[in-house]
Amino acid sequence: MKFELDALPYSKEALSPHLSEETLSFHHEKHHQAYLNNLKNLLQGKPEAELSLEEIVKTSLGAVFNNAAQVWNHDFYWKSMKPQGGGEPQGELAKAIARDFKSFAEFSTQFASAATTQFGSGWAWLVLENGALKIVTTSNADTPLKHGQKCLLTCDVWEHAYYVDYRNLRAKYVETFLKHLANWDFALANFVSPG
């Protein structure tokens, strides 16, 4: 895999006022970069370094898994947001949410509850499993990718994702994520893509 930090898909100011430039700078350039640096050091000179990031996540354990999964999770999280995001999904994903959660409002309630009540550090995800949409949470670096679920959208609920802007108000951050940041175009593209 290449050991370079991917650029954000938007400028560091683009998600303001919902997430500040300071948050994105520290989160991307410090936390995300540190996971990548750790992974590079752990894999230096090892055959696993030639694998793709997804392959490393799926096959590794321990420190290699923790750092590889955090790199993958963060790459996915940045794409799960966009300037002027939020609102409701369209097309096939909107139909699937109505089918599996009865309404987008009910989905939002369940997603917010899952993200807010995830104990400690972790992630809230919308995934596809066996043809059905599910909301799942993972602790620390764990990821649905490791468990055969197809990731559609994620919200990072590690404190470093929101503490600068929201302090201890995780629920407010999650509400803002759904209303103003969620990239439903990205989620729809994941939903309709093969594999």
Side-chain angles (χ1 to χ4, degrees):
M1 65 166 284
K2 68 178 181 68
F3 290 100
E4 295 174 11
L5 188 65
D6 289 339
L8 291 171
Y10 31 74
S11 74
K12 289 182 288 186
E13 307 83 25
L15 302 184
S16 182
H18 311 298
L19 284 178
S20 65
E21 178 181 357
E22 182 181 7
T23 289
L24 266 65
S25 293
F26 272 92
H27 196 172
H28 182 250
E29 297 166 17
K30 305 296 184 191
H31 292 278
H32 192 175
Q33 182 71 64
Y35 295 124
L36 186 62
N37 292 345
N38 291 341
L39 181 61
K40 180 180 180 179
N41 292 334
L42 287 164
L43 294 182
Q44 193 165 17
K46 296 184 178 174
E48 293 93 331
E50 302 305 314
L51 298 175
S52 71
L53 182 59
E54 284 196 5
E55 290 170 322
I56 295 168
V57 170
K58 289 177 180 178
T59 60
S60 64
L61 298 169
V64 171
F65 170 76
N66 287 335
N67 286 281
Q70 282 292 79
V71 171
W72 192 90
N73 288 352
H74 280 86
D75 286 343
F76 197 87
Y77 171 64
W78 303 129
K79 295 172 190 168
S80 291
M81 299 183 291
K82 70 174 185 176
Q84 290 82 52
E88 297 190 19
Q90 303 297 313
E92 294 304 310
L93 181 56
K95 293 176 187 174
I97 285 175
R99 178 194 70 210
D100 295 334
F101 297 99
K102 306 306 179 208
S103 69
F104 181 74
E106 180 59 25
F107 158 79
S108 295
T109 298
Q110 290 185 32
F111 188 91
S113 176
T116 303
T117 59
Q118 165 60 33
F119 186 77
S121 300
W123 304 81
W125 305 83
L126 175 63
V127 301
L128 185 64
E129 183 177 40
N130 298 322
L133 296 178
K134 293 175 63 177
I135 295 166
V136 298
T137 57
T138 57
S139 296
N140 299 319
D142 198 10
T143 177
L145 181 66
K146 184 82 169 179
H147 308 288
Q149 297 165 319
K150 185 176 184 181
C151 300
L152 305 184
L153 191 81
T154 193
C155 182
D156 185 347
V157 293
W158 283 63
E159 282 190 341
H160 64 242
Y162 60 88
Y163 200 82
V164 169
D165 299 316
Y166 296 91
R167 296 298 186 250
N168 62 321
L169 302 178
R170 184 192 285 188
K172 181 66 176 171
Y173 157 69
V174 172
E175 176 188 354
T176 301
F177 174 87
L178 287 168
K179 287 187 176 178
H180 301 289
L181 296 170
N183 186 350
W184 290 113
D185 295 332
F186 175 66
L188 175 59
N190 292 323
F191 179 69
V192 300
S193 69

